[in-house]
Amino acid sequence: MFASVLHEIPLQGGDVTDGVVRVGDTVRRPVSTSTPAVHALLRHLEAAGFAGAPRVVGGGIDGFGRQVLSYLPGLTGVRPASVRDDALGRLGGLLRDYHDATLGFPLRMEGWEGGSNDDRAPEVVGHCDLSPANVVFRADVPYGMIDFDLARPTTRLFDVVTTLRHWAPLADPVDRHPLLRNVDVGARVRIFCDAYGVSARERRRLVEVARLRFQRSYAVMRSRASVGGGWARMWAGGAGERIRRAVAWLDVHEDELYAHLV
């Protein structure tokens, strides 16, 4: 037991989950109510041949009651290589491959973490939190996605919008990473949608769904913050204000986005 603790390396970068560590070639994560559904999804992805997600190792739970997943080597976060247009296009393709790999997985399983969503019937299991902290790059190419705690049945477009929230990014410039502060957001949205293969019909809904996502995310985050923990820290750190500024930015730039999309 003592030796095991010595070899645990804390992993940081996420906003909500505490206690994530690396042990050798595995990652240990706290369990949650969504863990059985997430493990079933990861096993489905493995069977489908999707290489961009962690594998469930052994029975999936260690002697301390934590999840045991394979470690995906590489780098995460916003860096010069990760904000390039070609990396954004690769990410659009990665998300499409992931969505396609979830086809055939039950969309009515119990245990999914609740969250904001589209009003339309779910089509896939979305990752729903594909922020820079949850995308793994190797040789400057995005190849893996981690932290499926917020995964849930949704529409393809809702997960696309959620990803673009971080990567276009759909945000007020004051809230963007410095490397993304002055980018052409409309052009980046177009690059991502082209790489994913978003249809013309769905592109016409993108701004509408983005606005819906902002409104509902605000309500969900405010509710979760009331119980404390990581959500409370995010809310205290200004998450609500950032969402409000993003909505205002979207209202001002809606026509520009449409011009790139339609």
Side-chain angles (χ1 to χ4, degrees):
M1 174 177 173
F2 182 67
S4 173
V5 172
L6 285 179
H7 287 87
E8 293 188 357
I9 303 171
L11 298 177
Q12 300 176 347
D15 293 316
V16 177
T17 305
D18 297 318
V20 181
V21 299
R22 179 182 174 185
V23 181
D25 293 330
T26 68
V27 172
R28 313 299 170 101
R29 300 175 55 87
V31 299
S32 68
T33 55
S34 66
T35 296
V38 170
H39 282 194
L41 172 63
L42 294 178
R43 290 188 172 104
H44 172 89
L45 294 173
E46 181 177 12
F50 180 72
R55 305 306 190 203
V56 180
V57 178
I61 304 295
D62 69 9
F64 297 97
R66 303 173 299 186
Q67 301 180 60
V68 186
L69 305 174
S70 62
Y71 173 74
L72 298 187
L75 298 173
T76 62
V78 179
R79 297 169 294 105
S82 67
V83 302
R84 295 190 321 227
D85 288 351
D86 60 325
L88 182 68
R90 293 286 192 103
L91 181 61
L94 178 65
L95 183 63
R96 176 60 185 257
D97 290 344
Y98 161 70
H99 284 164
D100 289 349
T102 71
L103 296 178
F105 187 79
L107 296 179
R108 297 185 178 276
M109 285 189 65
E110 295 183 359
W112 293 114
E113 184 77 24
S116 56
N117 219 325
D118 200 346
D119 285 330
R120 300 198 176 187
E123 303 162 332
V124 295
V125 178
H127 182 282
C128 297
D129 191 24
L130 209 55
S131 69
N134 292 332
V135 176
V136 184
F137 281 73
R138 185 169 54 196
D140 294 337
V141 174
Y143 84 96
M145 48 181 64
I146 57 176
D147 190 354
F148 285 74
D149 286 356
L150 296 183
R152 56 187 178 271
T154 188
T155 63
R156 290 176 180 266
L157 185 60
F158 192 86
D159 209 18
V160 165
V161 164
T162 299
T163 304
L164 288 171
R165 165 78 171 105
H166 302 288
W167 289 91
L170 301 178
D172 188 290
V174 73
D175 296 317
R176 299 176 195 166
H177 188 281
L179 291 174
L180 290 165
R181 193 154 290 153
N182 298 312
V183 297
D184 185 337
V185 173
R188 287 176 63 82
V189 169
R190 176 66 178 262
I191 288 169
F192 187 94
C193 288
D194 285 350
Y196 181 95
V198 178
S199 69
R201 178 176 59 84
E202 292 293 82
R203 291 178 195 227
R204 293 187 179 91
R205 292 188 62 229
L206 191 145
V207 173
E208 167 198 337
V209 173
R211 188 172 284 110
L212 179 70
R213 190 247 181 213
F214 284 136
Q215 294 168 348
R216 292 183 174 173
S217 292
Y218 183 92
V220 169
M221 291 188 70
R222 181 174 58 184
S223 174
R224 288 177 174 172
S226 66
V227 302
W231 293 104
R233 289 196 301 273
M234 290 176 63
W235 193 258
E241 288 85 353
R242 288 191 291 274
I243 293 174
R244 291 300 194 198
R245 286 192 291 269
V247 172
W249 180 90
L250 191 66
D251 289 341
V252 172
H253 296 276
E254 179 175 353
D255 290 344
E256 297 173 32
L257 294 177
Y258 271 123
H260 281 89
L261 285 168
V262 179

